[in-house]
Amino acid sequence: MIRSRTRVAVRYAETDMMGIVYHGNYLPWFEIGRTTLLKEVGISYKELEAQGYRLPVLDVSARYLRPAFYDDTLDITTTLRERPLLRIRLEYEVRRGDELLATGNTTHAFIDKQGRVVRPPAWVTEKFAGKFKGSG
C-alpha cells in the first residue's frame, strides 16, 4: 500500500455564497492527491504523457460527510492499495484536522495515444514494484 498526504487551502472561488465548498471542487483536490502520490513514487505525469501514455478517469465517486468552508486548511490523503497493472484505483480522504469531510475514489486506465488500453511502461512498473515489495 502507498499513501500520500497533501494540503490545500480552500479558495473563495471554490465556495458558494454561503462560503461552503461546491461539491465539484473535490475532484480537482483528488487530482492534486493523485499527482502528488505519483510524484512521491517517482512517476511524473508530464513524463508519462511525453512518452505517449494517458490515465483517463474510468470511474469516480465521492461521498460528502461534512462541509468544507472558505479558508479551511484541508488534508487530502490518497491511498493506492494494489499495484496497478492495466488500471489504477486510488482512494481519497479529505479532512479538516481530525474531522473527515469527504471520501472518494477514482479508477484510471493506462492508454496509448490511440486510446488503446496498454500496460504501463516498464519504468512505471518498476517504481510501483519497489513500493509494493513483499505484497505479492
Side-chain angles (χ1 to χ4, degrees):
M1 177 172 65
I2 303 169
R3 184 166 280 149
S4 174
R5 182 170 292 130
T6 190
R7 185 163 279 179
V8 298
V10 176
R11 299 172 302 167
Y12 186 77
E14 295 170 319
T15 65
D16 60 20
M17 290 183 67
M18 297 178 292
I20 297 172
V21 171
Y22 173 69
H23 70 275
N25 286 310
Y26 286 77
L27 299 183
W29 296 341
F30 291 175
E31 179 185 351
I32 290 168
R34 177 173 62 254
T35 56
T36 298
L37 181 139
L38 291 175
K39 190 178 290 186
E40 288 174 356
V41 170
I43 299 169
S44 160
Y45 239 94
K46 188 174 182 177
E47 182 60 28
L48 263 177
E49 289 182 344
Q51 292 183 18
Y53 295 90
R54 305 289 185 265
L55 281 172
V57 176
L58 301 178
D59 182 68
V60 62
S61 72
R63 183 167 179 239
Y64 306 99
L65 306 167
R66 309 271 309 149
F69 301 98
Y70 169 65
D71 210 28
D72 279 350
T73 298
L74 306 176
D75 289 313
I76 294 97
T77 300
T78 307
T79 304
L80 177 63
R81 294 191 186 279
E82 298 177 356
R83 186 168 34 160
L85 298 174
L86 298 174
R87 294 181 184 199
I88 182 170
R89 184 177 191 279
L90 297 132
E91 299 171 3
Y92 310 93
E93 289 184 353
V94 179
R95 292 181 179 272
R96 178 180 46 234
D98 292 333
E99 186 178 19
L100 181 62
L101 305 182
T103 61
N105 63 72
T106 57
T107 304
H108 308 259
F110 287 91
I111 65 169
D112 63 15
K113 285 184 180 177
Q114 291 71 40
R116 294 180 298 236
V117 177
V118 295
R119 292 196 179 278
W123 66 272
V124 169
T125 302
E126 290 169 12
K127 297 279 187 188
F128 282 127
K131 296 293 183 181
F132 281 94
K133 284 181 182 171
S135 64

